[in-house]
């Protein structure tokens, strides 16, 4: 039997036909037409499995489509607007309940798929949120660690700075204590031992001695043999005690006058030769004629003028505070106020008329050496450690040579009295008095 022919012969357009088993079957029930009391039967090929394509099904699709009225039927069994497209019609008979169950299962499957996708999305979002949380925590920990390290570095820097300041305070205190001891014992803040890298320096414990004739014998300079006061005993200044790399300030405030008559660092004074009454003088118009070509120092007239004033300064490498009291036995420098040059002496150049070591004004605030250093002493006794005051007769001893600032009645020219560096400082011509400005 051919399934297609059987379908044409038995389907005559009637509303229903009872099948052999009495079940509700039919293509009309499949599409939802008719009521529960009516049974529609489709006589045609049977289908044993759901969805199996039956041969010849839909060959008369045009008539079938018109019979049922489900959409517009096109030749070849292609139904537009209905369930059938292209003549592939599922075989078998299905009840409305089975169809609805199938639809529900499809919906449940769709919902399950969507729920699974949603669950995966939620899990992904949770994982992302967790990752962001972990990242932020790690970042915060790293930043906190970095801040901790910075704080520790800053604290270490502060500790080092405090240690450095403490060391500076300790050294300053030791230096102050040492200078106090030097002042108490030896009469000056520059009476301290030299640095270990130099054979020159200050005598640590100058001892006052007397010559056989009763005159004062100055102590030997530290690391050097005793003074001989001879011009052929040539001695050179210690290069480490110059203004080069010296901590001594280049300038000190000028102190004019003093009600207590005490000489201090910064005091402006004039020096009057005790024997002749002339003041120690220099100016830019007079120079030596001996070959040194430095500014000449000489005794000039009996009343001080603007070129007779000198400022008391510390020796190179000494750093007393401005206004410090000067004691006998202290090394000082005298800077000419008008020209800025220092009272100076040296070997090898001699004053023309006397043949004694010449005295000049040399250097400036930035240039000074040990030949500018003079030790102030009380005439006849030294009096190391006692305060230097106005009115006392003093000796200015050149530290390198040991000879005294000296003048006499030898005249170089009118009103130009010879000043030299000569002898051991026990002559009347070695005496000077000072006046405060």
């Amino acid at each position: 039997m051919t399934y297609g022919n059987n379908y044409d012969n038995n389907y005559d357009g009637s509303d229903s036909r009872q099948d052999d088993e009495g079940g509700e079957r039919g293509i009309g029930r499949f599409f939802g037409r008719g009521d529960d009391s009516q049974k529609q039967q489709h006589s045609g090929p049977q289908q044993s499995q759901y969805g199996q394509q039956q041969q010849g099904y839909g060959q008369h699709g045009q008539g079938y489509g018109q019979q049922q009225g489900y959409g517009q039927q096109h030749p070849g069994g292609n139904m537009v607007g209905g369930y059938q497209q292209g003549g592939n019609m599922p075989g078998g008979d299905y009840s409305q309940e089975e169809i609805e169950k199938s639809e529900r299962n499809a919906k449940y499957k769709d919902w399950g798929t969507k729920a699974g996708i949603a669950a995966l999305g939620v899990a992904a979002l949770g994982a992302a949120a967790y990752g962001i949380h972990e990242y932020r925590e790690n970042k915060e920990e790293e930043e906190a660690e970095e801040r901790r390290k910075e704080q520790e570095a800053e604290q270490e820097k502060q500790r080092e700075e405090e240690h450095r300041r403490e060391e500076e305070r300790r050294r300053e205190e030791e230096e102050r204590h040492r200078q106090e001891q030097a002042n108490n014992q030896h009469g000056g803040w520059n009476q301290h031992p030299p640095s270990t890298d130099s054979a020159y320096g200050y005598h640590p414990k100058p001892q006052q001695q007397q010559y056989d004739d009763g005159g004062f014998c100055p102590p030997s300079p530290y690391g050097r043999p005793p003074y001989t006061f001879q011009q052929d005993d040539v001695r050179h200044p210690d290069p480490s005690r110059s203004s080069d790399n010296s901590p001594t300030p280049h300038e000190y405030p000028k102190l004019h006058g003093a009600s207590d008559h005490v000489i201090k660092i910064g005091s402006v004074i004039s020096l009057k030769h005790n024997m002749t009454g002339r003041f120690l003088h220099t100016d830019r118009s007079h120079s030596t004629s001996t070959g040194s070509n430095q500014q000449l120092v000489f005794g000039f007239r009996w009343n001080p003028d603007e070129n007779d004033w000198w400022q008391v300064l510390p020796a190179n490498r000494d750093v007393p505070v401005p206004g410090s009291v000067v004691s006998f036995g202290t090394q000082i420098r005298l800077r000419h106020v008008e020209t800025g040059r220092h009272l100076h002496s040296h070997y090898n150049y001699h004053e023309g008329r006397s043949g004694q070591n010449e005295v000049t004004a040399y250097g400036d605030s930035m240039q000074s050496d040990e030949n500018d250093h003079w030790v102030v002493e009380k005439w006849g006794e030294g009096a190391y450690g006692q305060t230097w005051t106005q009115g006392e007769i003093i000796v200015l001893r050149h530290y390198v040579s040991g000879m005294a600032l000296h003048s006499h009645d030898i005249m170089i020219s009118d009103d130009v009295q010879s000043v030299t560096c000569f002898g051991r400082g026990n002559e009347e011509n070695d005496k000077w008095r000072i006046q405060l400005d």
Side-chain angles (χ1 to χ4, degrees), residues 359-424:
V359 174
T360 65
Y362 174 75
D364 53 36
S365 62
M366 303 297 293
Q367 182 181 10
S368 176
D369 63 19
E370 198 179 32
N371 276 332
D372 301 338
H373 293 188
W374 301 81
V375 180
V376 58
E377 299 172 352
K378 188 173 183 179
W379 190 84
E381 56 183 288
Y384 282 19
Q386 297 180 19
T387 300
W388 179 18
T389 59
Q390 183 180 12
E392 293 181 294
I393 298 175
I394 65 168
V395 171
L396 285 176
R397 186 177 305 280
H398 189 241
Y399 182 74
V400 174
S401 67
M403 300 183 195
L405 184 67
H406 180 93
S407 190
H408 35 225
D409 55 4
I410 297 176
M411 305 298 293
I412 298 174
S413 62
D414 292 343
D415 286 334
V416 178
Q417 180 175 293
S418 171
V419 174
T420 63
C421 192
F422 174 76
R424 66 183 191 182

Side-chain angles (χ1 to χ4, degrees), residues 165-426:
R165 291 177 181 176
E166 184 65 28
E167 283 295 310
E168 288 182 355
R169 287 192 292 267
R170 183 185 61 79
R171 288 194 294 268
E172 289 174 359
E173 182 64 22
E174 289 178 353
E175 178 68 14
R176 185 187 63 78
H177 182 67
R178 182 189 57 73
Q179 289 184 359
E180 287 178 354
Q181 287 182 328
N183 283 334
N184 293 334
Q185 298 176 13
H186 318 306
W189 7 257
N190 54 16
Q191 301 295 325
H192 53 78
S195 59
T196 57
D197 58 353
S198 173
Y200 299 91
Y202 312 97
H203 198 291
K205 294 182 179 180
Q207 301 295 325
Q208 296 185 188
Q209 300 178 8
Q210 299 290 327
Y211 289 111
D212 293 340
D213 58 7
F216 172 70
C217 177
S220 302
Y222 185 84
R224 292 176 250 193
Y227 295 123
T228 63
F229 312 111
Q230 301 296 319
Q231 289 179 268
D232 57 359
D233 181 16
V234 178
R235 302 182 180 216
H236 301 286
D238 178 2
S240 70
R241 299 188 65 205
S242 70
S243 57
D244 294 340
N245 300 318
S246 173
T248 307
H250 298 299
E251 302 284 349
Y252 272 81
K254 294 180 176 65
L255 305 180
H256 298 275
S259 59
D260 56 3
H261 307 293
V262 173
I263 313 304
K264 304 177 180 70
I265 292 297
S267 294
V268 176
I269 64 173
S270 60
L271 289 97
K272 184 176 184 178
H273 189 239
N274 195 60
M275 283 294 293
T276 63
R278 294 181 183 268
F279 283 89
L280 192 69
H281 180 102
T282 188
D283 54 49
R284 292 184 176 87
S285 62
H286 291 82
S287 299
T288 62
S289 58
T290 59
S292 66
N293 295 320
Q294 295 177 7
Q295 193 168 291
L296 182 66
V297 172
F298 54 94
F300 183 72
R301 297 183 180 175
W302 297 271
N303 293 311
D305 66 15
E306 66 275 7
N307 285 310
D308 296 343
W309 297 104
W310 305 78
Q311 184 184 19
V312 178
L313 297 175
N316 290 311
R317 307 201 70 79
D318 281 350
V319 194
V321 297
S324 297
V325 174
V326 180
S327 301
F328 289 126
T330 300
Q331 293 179 57
I332 62 171
R333 290 178 297 161
L334 293 174
R335 180 180 293 168
H336 191 241
V337 172
E338 184 66 22
T339 65
R341 301 187 184 280
H342 301 104
L343 187 66
H344 181 92
S345 185
H346 43 223
Y347 287 95
N348 301 325
Y349 295 102
H350 305 137
E351 193 275 320
R353 291 178 177 260
S354 65
Q356 298 169 359
N357 287 355
E358 71 178 8
V359 174
T360 65
Y362 174 75
D364 53 36
S365 62
M366 303 297 293
Q367 182 181 10
S368 176
D369 63 19
E370 198 179 32
N371 276 332
D372 301 338
H373 293 188
W374 301 81
V375 180
V376 58
E377 299 172 352
K378 188 173 183 179
W379 190 84
E381 56 183 288
Y384 282 19
Q386 297 180 19
T387 300
W388 179 18
T389 59
Q390 183 180 12
E392 293 181 294
I393 298 175
I394 65 168
V395 171
L396 285 176
R397 186 177 305 280
H398 189 241
Y399 182 74
V400 174
S401 67
M403 300 183 195
L405 184 67
H406 180 93
S407 190
H408 35 225
D409 55 4
I410 297 176
M411 305 298 293
I412 298 174
S413 62
D414 292 343
D415 286 334
V416 178
Q417 180 175 293
S418 171
V419 174
T420 63
C421 192
F422 174 76
R424 66 183 191 182
N426 61 340

Side-chain angles (χ1 to χ4, degrees), residues 34-153:
D35 52 26
D36 295 337
S37 62
Q38 292 178 326
K39 305 295 188 296
Q40 292 181 348
Q41 182 175 2
H42 156 62
S43 176
Q46 296 297 316
Q47 179 174 320
S48 60
Q49 294 183 353
Y50 176 78
Q52 181 176 349
Q53 180 64 40
Q54 303 299 323
Q55 183 178 1
Y57 188 83
Q59 290 179 355
H60 299 279
Q62 184 173 2
Y64 174 77
Q66 293 172 353
Q67 172 77 21
Q68 299 297 326
Y70 286 93
Q72 180 66 39
Q73 184 72 25
H74 290 272
N78 294 323
M79 182 181 293
V80 179
Y83 288 96
Q84 182 66 19
Q85 285 288 339
N88 291 325
M89 178 72 68
D93 297 328
Y94 296 91
S95 66
Q96 182 65 26
E97 183 179 357
E98 291 173 335
I99 293 172
E100 291 176 354
K101 182 178 180 182
S102 176
E103 290 176 351
R104 284 195 301 272
N105 290 337
K107 288 181 180 179
Y108 294 157
K109 183 177 181 181
D110 183 54
W111 291 346
T113 302
K114 291 181 179 178
I117 294 173
L120 290 174
V122 171
L125 289 174
Y130 179 78
I132 293 172
H133 174 73
E134 289 295 312
Y135 171 78
R136 288 178 177 174
E137 282 193 347
N138 292 338
K139 186 67 174 177
E140 290 174 356
E141 290 177 358
E142 290 176 358
E143 291 176 351
E145 180 68 14
E146 187 67 23
R147 287 193 299 269
R148 185 186 64 79
K149 290 181 179 179
E150 290 177 356
Q151 291 174 356
E152 289 180 352

